[in-house]
Amino acid sequence: VPTLRRIIDACAMLKLNTLHLHLADDQGWRFESLKYPMLTGSNSTDGHYYTQDTLKELVKFAGEKGIRIVPEIDIPGHSTALLNALPEISEKYRNITDTHANKTENSQKKTEKTTLESSGRQFSGTKRGTPQRTFGVFSEKLDFAKEETARFMADIIEELTEVFPDRYIHLGGDEVFSGSSATRKRFFKLVLGDVLTYLKRAMIGWDELLDDEAFQRGSIVQVWRGKAPGLKARKNILFIVWSEGYYLDLLKPASEHYLADPLGENPSRAQIQTVIGGEACMWSELVSDETIESRLWPRAAAVAERLWSPAKLRNVKDMYRRIQYLPEFLELSGSSRQLANSWKLLLRMACGDANVAFL
């Protein structure tokens, strides 16, 4: 949490006014659910998650800095950690139980049947694993054909709205390479669409959901795969947040981010009306609390200047002249520990595993 607070401080200085907080992926579930307490067990979180009270305090802190926080629960893929706690709403569980039911229907109905008790929302137990330990795309995904999945997502979205006041909730939808497109369309557009409408919220999703025609009007498409999804989003009259060219975890030079304008040099009226912003993405599977700030700064500042500037502003040399002083400025203002952590890591390399500290 202290690291997130420093990041929010730095974002406020650089006019980055939204923090997209990715709270669920294959490597961990990070949101405390009061309705589904099993989600914060070690098999889903490794003991690391944010309580609702902590997140409410973070939302308040960010709001005082003029920054909104948009939460994301990524479904149906990227859900290994979630399904470790609730395997009964996974497609793999359905396939296994269907096979067993065909063999010994009567006995299996007693032992394998999926149950969802209203008291505490407890699922019947099965063998549970651990979160993924590596970066990648995995096969586990939610079973959108099950009523229990819809009920679970409705409960989680409701809990999110009690913590995050922002109008938008990000529901993922990326990197799912199997299953029924029609089923995904129905689930996102109708089932979750009705839930979001009832709760006076709207959806953000990754651009793969355009292929499923899963967006309602008023939704936001997060474009990360290039210009083609952006064109499709404009055709469907959807708002766009642009991320292609702004992936900080890929360790591209700041100049590449700086020259990646979502509108181009001569944007059409449709582009201007639909592209409402951009996002610098920092995926954290391969970073730690001590290294994440070195990935963010100063390159995120180049993204911020690009998004607030006309496309004709492309003086890379002058950008580098100014941006070189940013790490020291953020460190002195208390908005980053990038330099202190760098020295700490160097000392650790020199001294081995012994505890190190500054003199």
Side-chain angles (χ1 to χ4, degrees):
V1 174
T3 301
L4 282 177
R5 284 177 171 253
R6 290 196 303 272
I7 290 170
I8 288 169
D9 268 335
C11 285
M13 293 182 185
L14 299 169
K15 297 180 70 174
L16 290 163
N17 58 16
T18 304
L19 176 63
H20 170 186
L21 201 55
H22 194 80
L23 290 169
D25 213 301
D26 294 296
Q27 292 76 19
W29 176 277
R30 307 303 180 198
F31 176 71
E32 178 194 32
S33 170
L34 303 181
K35 294 182 179 180
Y36 299 88
M38 70 286 287
L39 283 169
T40 50
S42 60
N43 60 305
S44 293
T45 67
D46 288 325
H48 302 292
Y49 63 92
Y50 301 106
T51 67
Q52 291 196 13
D53 287 342
T54 296
L55 290 169
K56 287 176 182 178
E57 292 173 3
L58 193 68
V59 168
K60 182 176 183 295
F61 176 79
E64 291 169 351
K65 306 285 184 178
I67 293 176
R68 52 200 286 204
I69 298 183
V70 174
E72 179 181 354
I73 301 295
D74 197 352
I75 59 168
H78 290 290
S79 54
T80 302
L82 158 60
L83 295 175
N84 283 339
L86 303 176
E88 295 84 351
I89 59 173
S90 72
E91 282 195 355
K92 283 186 177 180
Y93 186 85
R94 179 181 63 177
N95 295 336
I96 293 170
T97 55
D98 285 351
T99 300
H100 287 189
N102 289 335
K103 293 180 179 178
T104 53
E105 183 176 355
N106 292 332
S107 62
Q108 290 301 318
K109 280 183 178 179
K110 295 179 181 179
T111 59
E112 298 277 0
K113 183 181 178 182
T114 301
T115 60
L116 182 66
E117 301 172 4
S118 58
S119 176
R121 296 290 194 267
Q122 297 290 328
F123 284 92
S124 61
T126 62
K127 185 177 180 180
R128 297 171 180 174
T130 58
Q132 292 291 349
R133 306 299 186 192
T134 59
F135 171 84
V137 179
F138 304 94
S139 60
E140 288 80 2
K141 59 180 182 291
L142 272 67
D143 188 347
F144 280 174
K146 286 185 174 179
E147 180 182 343
E148 291 92 340
T149 307
R151 194 184 311 172
F152 166 75
M153 284 306 304
D155 286 340
I156 290 297
I157 290 172
E158 185 176 19
E159 285 196 271
L160 288 171
T161 63
E162 293 168 357
V163 175
F164 299 95
D166 199 85
R167 170 171 167 72
Y168 289 98
I169 293 176
H170 204 307
L171 292 174
D174 61 315
E175 297 182 316
V176 177
F177 304 115
S178 63
S180 167
S181 177
T183 300
R184 289 193 294 272
K185 175 181 179 179
R186 183 192 68 83
F187 194 86
F188 277 102
K189 198 168 187 177
L190 299 179
V191 177
L192 297 186
D194 286 348
V195 172
L196 291 167
T197 299
Y198 176 76
L199 294 170
K200 297 181 172 57
R201 296 295 194 273
M203 185 179 87
I204 305 177
W206 297 102
D207 63 42
E208 285 94 331
L209 290 178
L210 288 166
D211 301 331
D212 301 323
E213 299 179 351
F215 286 102
Q216 290 185 320
R217 288 220 177 163
S219 301
I220 293 177
V221 183
Q222 186 160 3
V223 173
W224 73 283
R225 295 183 302 163
K227 293 183 178 179
L231 292 172
K232 187 179 288 188
R234 285 191 283 274
K235 183 178 179 181
N236 288 277
I237 318 178
L238 296 165
F239 297 119
I240 297 170
V241 168
W242 198 273
S243 292
E244 193 215 5
Y246 305 141
Y247 272 65
L248 302 177
D249 54 298
L250 297 182
L251 300 178
K252 301 289 187 179
S255 58
E256 187 167 323
H257 304 313
Y258 194 67
L259 296 175
D261 194 286
L263 294 177
E265 293 189 20
N266 297 296
S268 66
R269 184 176 181 181
Q271 284 177 293
I272 295 171
Q273 290 176 336
T274 56
V275 179
I276 61 173
E279 178 183 304
C281 298
M282 179 58 235
W283 298 98
S284 58
E285 295 96 332
L286 303 178
V287 299
S288 68
D289 189 60
E290 293 176 322
T291 61
I292 187 169
E293 288 165 297
S294 68
R295 305 298 196 274
L296 289 171
W297 319 121
R299 291 177 302 133
V303 177
E305 181 161 299
R306 166 49 51 225
L307 295 174
W308 284 109
S309 303
K312 64 182 180 181
L313 185 65
R314 301 173 66 83
N315 190 329
V316 171
K317 184 177 179 180
D318 188 62
M319 179 272 292
Y320 274 122
R321 179 188 63 82
R322 291 176 288 113
I323 209 172
Q324 65 180 312
Y325 302 108
L326 184 65
E328 289 86 352
F329 173 77
L330 293 177
E331 196 95 4
L332 290 171
S333 68
S335 300
S336 175
R337 287 188 55 82
Q338 175 184 346
L339 301 180
N341 284 334
S342 295
W343 279 107
K344 186 176 181 181
L345 291 169
L346 286 171
L347 285 171
R348 187 176 299 150
M349 290 173 64
C351 303
D353 294 330
N355 292 329
V356 295
F358 294 109
L359 296 176

